[in-house]
Amino acid sequence: YKMTQILVMELQNFFIPPQPGSRYSISGGNLRISQLNKEEDAGIYQCLASNSFGTILSREASLHIFKTQRRSPVSVREGQGVVLLCGPPAHMGELTFSWIFNEYPSFVKQDTRRFVSQKTGNLYIAKVEPSDVGNYTCVVTNTVTQSRVQGPPTPLVLRSDGIMGEYEPKIEIQFPDVLAVAKGLTVKLECFALGNPVPSITWRRPDGVPFPRKVDVNKSTGVLEIPYFQQEDAGAFECMAENSRGKNTVKGRLSFYAPPHLVEKPQDVQKAIDESLLWECKASAKPKPSYRWLKNGEPLESFEDRIQVVNGALSISSLTLSDTGMYQCIAENRHGRVFANAELRVIAVAPDFSNSVLKAQTLARQGGDVLIECRPRMSPRGMISWRKGKEALRESHRVSVLDNGSLRISNITKLDAGLYTCVARNQFGVASSAGTLVVKATQLDVTVGESVVIPCQVSRDPTLDVRFTWFFNEQLINFGSHGGYFEKVGGASAGDIMIRNIQLRHAGRYTCAVQTKVDSASIATDVVVRGPPDPPLDIKVDEVTETTSFVSWSPGPDNHSPVFAYNIQIRSPFSLGWQAAKTGVQELRLSARVVELSPWVEYEFRVLATNSVGTGEPSKPSQKIRTKDTLPRTTPARVSGGGGSRSELVITWEPVPEELQCGPGFGYVVAFRPLGGQSWMQAAVTSPDASRYIFKNESIPPFSPFHVKVGVYNNKGEGPFGSVTTIYSAEEEPSRAPSRVRAKSLSASEVEVSWKPLPWSTSRTRIMGYEVRTTQLKPDTASVMRTVGNRTSAVIRGLDPSSTYYIKLKAYNSAGVGPDSAVVNVTTKRPPPSQSPVKVMWNATDSKLILKWDHVKALENESEVMGYKVMYKQSRQSRPSVVETNSTSLELSLPVDEDYIIQIKPVSEGGEGSSSKQITIPRIAVAHAIGFAPERRALPVLVTLSLYCTVRTFL
């Protein structure tokens, strides 16, 4: 609202009027003071803004005046440290300081020797040099107004009585013992020392915990900067200044606070007289804020029981016109205050139909339903009654007055036609509006999608030709067009038409015109097409809370079938399309309260109407709204952890989905304590996507149990903790090596290693398995194999024959590996024979198979043959059977009514040798057969022919 008058008031109740010719002038709400006078003008100011609706009060503004005076020279020895005082005036708001050396624009550059404090404005020179002699002027700049003032120059001169010797550091800038810092601010801690030689400045925490990455330490100026200050940044800090003559330290502590921040504030509202008002005013702060209310710039005193202020909430019952005005809620603690402004209008209006008169004529179908709306403007809401003609309307099972004042009549008859008057009254007056209800009976009802025949039959002289012409809403129907919906049907004396798959647009008046040479006639039929309702209109959403919203709409056309239900659907970024909303008790109203929404989630709403024909198309989506934030309620799932490096407690969880975080600033609170401990240690994890927290402390015993729980918080505050889970800290890597390590060669490519295992679990560590390292003393030939579980042996495969290997073992667990065992060596056996069995002969009867082959002789560098493996299977089988023998022949008791596939390979201590060619023995259809295996596979057809010849010879 435009303010019609602006005043400026000083807190001591001295008003500054905007008078011409005064030292005070007001323009656009700004106050200008000329010819400043420290005694008269210094003080605290507030602005009052007023118009016809009320008055509101601004924050305080403080004016201080920088009075300059000449300063005496500062005389020091060369090598001595010095502090030049700025002496700025008292002020409100943030200032920045700089120093001019001799003349503008030559400014003092800060380094390890010179420092300008942004807290006091003073200039510190750790060790004066001859080049420092000159005039120094302090420049003070207001960061808000960007105004700048200069103090008087201070001369710096050198004494002539000698040079200052070396001395230990003397810290001149010390931050307070306890410094309170607001949440989210950037805090800068200053530390600077005088000394010869120039001291170096370092920072640390007394507890030894390293600074987070966001902390910036400017080593050249000694400034420690912590951006976006949070609860976990609070604690003790230590600054140390050191040179060759000694060192000095100072300590201080940062505490965390939060100035008030409004999370819920009153909104402008218009209320009827005698209604009630409830304004919520809530702020987040540390410490907790106190609340007070102003009305038109004056404290709101609760002289009446109907006005109550409880925990910031203002409630006024039985509103009167005098309650109208501008209200302000002030939330404050010792660190600041915030204002929230809102206007209350209390109105009293007699009933008025000027903007909502009843329809002059309402058409209804006999047997149908009708709704006549009555919505006058009046405050407070009074009584609504109806008359038919001059008589008061009596309600019945067919006739009812709804809660909103509208009249509903069902199963309409001709007797219901007439003049209806709606009468509204409250204590300020009476008003009425009237309209006529017309009941029509000559019509044809049909439902969308059906087919209907409209008859047109006449009695006539059969000797006369007749012509039928049809009109739809007085427009000629051109059969063959209109999308093929209209078709002539009936005999020669009938002009009936059929409308196929009728649609809503086909509703209206159909006229059949009949004409002969001597006469003409016409007949009209009204066709009413019933269909699903059109989409509802004007979807509005208000009264939004954390989990509910109030949705209202206007009805669309019901397409001649009364709507009996409305359904609300919702959609959010986290839903799969549109979903049915849950509402409170609704009945057949044009509004509903949607419940069970998720806090701090953006929603869209749409409404669908349903009648006896079906459900219509949905309305257009509403504007997107976001539910209010609240304390988080969902805790992380699957809290677990363990493992990690030495002296660590690793805690993991499944992050809470965004739709369940209930507000901005979401994070996690991780609490843990040793099993059996009483007090919980806590840490805040600010990232909502975080899934782990690692606590590292050298005092944590290895593999010790901790109770752990993970909670949640957001800008509203802390939510609940999840259930307590037991997690073990990181264990130590194994401290001992396996003993009694033995190795033996199994073949030319395999070695078996065995050992005595370590204890499976102790109070400080567990054994997860063993790591076997094999090498031939060449780096590129080393290989590592891990076993799992408490095994005592392992087979190493894929080795080279006739080779010496060196093997050592070490135990491992989640923390790492233990020490190496003693090294053992082993030599693999010579390789198996490279020659395969040859001259394989077979002799078969109906029950036996006899095989013979030549002995395989090993080469000089190969293992001697110890026996043979014979593998055989039926051709339809997938897996072969194996028989071992020490000779070069074998008799198998096999029925030979199936084809067999056979292979033979030699066996030695170096392993299995090369296999013979695959031998196929066909099914025997005679009493006896012999054959031999080919030495090469290049002639399979010839082999088969040779086999058949042999069989014939024995016949």
Side-chain angles (χ1 to χ4, degrees), residues 650-717:
V650 180
I651 303 169
T652 62
W653 61 86
E654 186 175 291
V656 174
E658 182 180 352
E659 64 267 29
L660 300 178
Q661 294 174 5
C662 297
F666 183 83
Y668 303 94
V669 180
V670 183
F672 51 93
R673 66 184 180 188
L675 191 65
Q678 298 299 317
S679 60
W680 292 91
M681 293 178 280
Q682 292 190 359
V685 180
T686 58
S687 171
D689 299 323
S691 61
R692 67 164 42 206
Y693 172 76
I694 300 177
F695 174 68
K696 186 174 181 65
N697 193 304
E698 297 297 333
S699 64
I700 297 179
F703 200 53
S704 57
F706 279 76
H707 274 163
V708 174
K709 58 182 180 180
V710 181
V712 289
Y713 73 91
N714 59 19
N715 288 349
K716 279 282 189 178

Side-chain angles (χ1 to χ4, degrees), residues 57-100:
L57 187 66
S58 76
R59 303 172 185 265
E60 296 94 343
S62 179
L63 174 63
H64 300 274
I65 300 174
F66 198 165
K67 188 174 181 181
T68 61
Q69 59 186 12
R70 299 189 62 183
R71 297 188 178 181
S72 301
V74 176
S75 179
V76 296
R77 291 189 180 95
E78 181 182 346
Q80 183 179 355
V82 69
V83 181
L84 301 184
L85 305 181
C86 178
H91 61 278
M92 292 185 69
E94 187 175 353
L95 304 181
T96 59
F97 302 92
S98 57
W99 284 77
I100 298 174

Side-chain angles (χ1 to χ4, degrees), residues 166-292:
E166 294 184 353
Y167 62 96
E168 66 180 12
K170 178 184 180 184
I171 297 179
E172 288 292 337
I173 303 179
Q174 300 183 9
F175 52 96
D177 292 339
V178 179
L179 177 63
V181 182
K183 175 184 179 181
L185 293 185
T186 295
V187 60
K188 295 182 179 181
L189 300 181
E190 297 181 342
C191 182
F192 193 79
L194 309 183
N196 188 2
V198 175
S200 62
I201 305 296
T202 56
W203 290 87
R204 75 180 193 91
R205 284 181 182 268
D207 57 8
V209 176
F211 293 127
R213 291 184 178 179
K214 68 175 183 178
V215 175
D216 180 25
V217 179
N218 191 328
K219 295 183 179 179
S220 63
T221 61
V223 176
L224 176 72
E225 180 177 333
I226 307 175
Y228 192 61
F229 192 81
Q230 299 296 310
Q231 179 76 51
E232 61 268 20
D233 297 323
F237 292 80
E238 182 178 81
C239 168
M240 181 174 69
E242 185 176 12
N243 64 9
S244 59
R245 304 296 296 179
K247 62 182 178 181
N248 199 355
T249 60
V250 293
K251 294 181 180 179
R253 176 176 294 275
L254 296 181
S255 64
F256 176 82
Y257 79 87
H261 170 72
L262 286 172
V263 295
E264 189 168 352
K265 53 187 177 181
Q267 303 294 327
D268 295 343
V269 68
Q270 179 174 291
K271 291 282 188 178
I273 194 170
D274 289 333
E275 288 187 350
S276 296
L277 169 73
L278 175 61
W279 265 332
E280 293 284 353
C281 182
K282 293 182 180 179
S284 63
K286 183 178 181 182
K288 291 183 177 181
S290 61
Y291 300 90
R292 54 192 175 95

Side-chain angles (χ1 to χ4, degrees), residues 626-644:
R626 182 182 288 276
T627 50
K628 294 184 178 181
D629 55 342
T630 185
L631 290 175
R633 297 170 292 188
T634 303
T635 57
R638 300 180 183 176
V639 177
S640 60

Side-chain angles (χ1 to χ4, degrees), residues 88 96-97 251 438 511 571 747 782:
T96 59
F97 302 92
K251 294 181 180 179
V438 178
T511 304
R571 179 173 66 181
S747 67

Side-chain angles (χ1 to χ4, degrees), residues 428-467:
F428 299 106
V430 180
S432 63
S433 180
T436 302
L437 175 63
V438 178
V439 180
K440 298 186 67 176
T442 57
Q443 63 184 23
L444 184 64
D445 284 355
V446 65
T447 303
V448 166
E450 294 180 349
S451 297
V452 62
V453 174
I454 306 176
C456 183
Q457 298 180 358
V458 295
S459 299
R460 63 181 175 84
D461 187 341
T463 63
L464 294 176
D465 293 331
V466 65
R467 180 183 177 189

Side-chain angles (χ1 to χ4, degrees), residues 240-565:
M240 181 174 69
E242 185 176 12
N243 64 9
S244 59
R245 304 296 296 179
K247 62 182 178 181
N248 199 355
T249 60
V250 293
K251 294 181 180 179
R253 176 176 294 275
L254 296 181
S255 64
F256 176 82
Y257 79 87
H261 170 72
L262 286 172
V263 295
E264 189 168 352
K265 53 187 177 181
Q267 303 294 327
D268 295 343
V269 68
Q270 179 174 291
K271 291 282 188 178
I273 194 170
D274 289 333
E275 288 187 350
S276 296
L277 169 73
L278 175 61
W279 265 332
E280 293 284 353
C281 182
K282 293 182 180 179
S284 63
K286 183 178 181 182
K288 291 183 177 181
S290 61
Y291 300 90
R292 54 192 175 95
W293 284 81
L294 306 179
K295 178 186 177 185
N296 293 329
E298 298 292 336
L300 181 63
E301 301 293 343
S302 180
F303 294 118
E304 306 176 56
D305 291 339
R306 68 187 188 90
I307 302 177
Q308 298 290 331
V309 176
V310 179
N311 293 329
L314 170 63
S315 63
I316 306 177
S317 60
S318 302
L319 288 170
T320 66
L321 294 176
S322 63
D323 293 321
T324 297
M326 297 298 298
Y327 289 77
Q328 291 179 281
C329 169
I330 304 175
E332 56 190 338
N333 63 11
R334 63 176 179 270
H335 301 292
R337 67 180 58 166
V338 287
F339 289 71
N341 310 326
E343 179 196 1
L344 169 62
R345 281 192 186 184
V346 181
I347 59 174
V349 179
D352 180 13
F353 281 96
S354 59
N355 293 325
S356 57
V357 296
L358 267 66
K359 292 174 61 176
Q361 188 179 76
T362 300
L363 298 179
R365 181 185 62 85
Q366 185 174 343
D369 299 342
V370 70
L371 181 69
I372 306 176
E373 292 187 342
C374 178
R375 294 187 176 183
R377 179 174 181 262
M378 57 179 172
S379 178
R381 182 173 177 81
M383 294 180 58
I384 291 181
S385 59
W386 284 83
R387 295 198 305 266
K388 181 183 179 186
K390 295 183 180 181
E391 300 293 331
L393 183 66
R394 294 184 178 183
E395 295 190 60
S396 66
H397 67 283
R398 291 193 310 110
V399 180
S400 59
V401 179
L402 305 182
D403 290 344
N404 62 6
S406 298
L407 175 64
R408 182 181 182 87
I409 306 175
S410 58
N411 195 17
I412 293 174
T413 68
K414 291 183 178 181
L415 297 177
D416 293 320
L419 181 67
Y420 288 83
T421 304
C422 176
V423 181
R425 57 169 51 86
N426 64 11
Q427 63 261 47
F428 299 106
V430 180
S432 63
S433 180
T436 302
L437 175 63
V438 178
V439 180
K440 298 186 67 176
T442 57
Q443 63 184 23
L444 184 64
D445 284 355
V446 65
T447 303
V448 166
E450 294 180 349
S451 297
V452 62
V453 174
I454 306 176
C456 183
Q457 298 180 358
V458 295
S459 299
R460 63 181 175 84
D461 187 341
T463 63
L464 294 176
D465 293 331
V466 65
R467 180 183 177 189
F468 297 91
T469 306
W470 281 90
F471 298 87
F472 173 44
N473 291 336
E474 301 182 358
Q475 298 294 321
L476 178 67
I477 296 177
N478 182 13
F479 293 92
S481 60
H482 302 284
Y485 287 98
F486 301 111
E487 177 184 349
K488 288 184 177 181
V489 295
S493 62
D496 303 350
I497 65 170
M498 174 182 282
I499 309 175
R500 298 183 182 276
N501 188 23
I502 198 167
Q503 301 298 308
L504 290 173
R505 64 180 180 273
H506 297 144
R509 172 160 292 186
Y510 289 82
T511 304
C512 176
V514 186
Q515 187 175 12
T516 65
K517 290 181 179 181
V518 298
D519 198 5
S520 65
S522 66
I523 184 172
T525 303
D526 290 331
V527 175
V528 175
V529 181
R530 301 179 184 275
D534 282 2
L537 307 171
D538 302 326
I539 312 301
K540 296 179 181 179
V541 184
D542 52 17
E543 298 183 23
V544 180
T545 70
E546 294 89 346
T547 58
T548 67
S549 64
F550 190 78
V551 182
S552 59
W553 60 90
S554 300
D558 64 5
N559 294 326
H560 306 288
S561 180
V563 173
F564 63 75

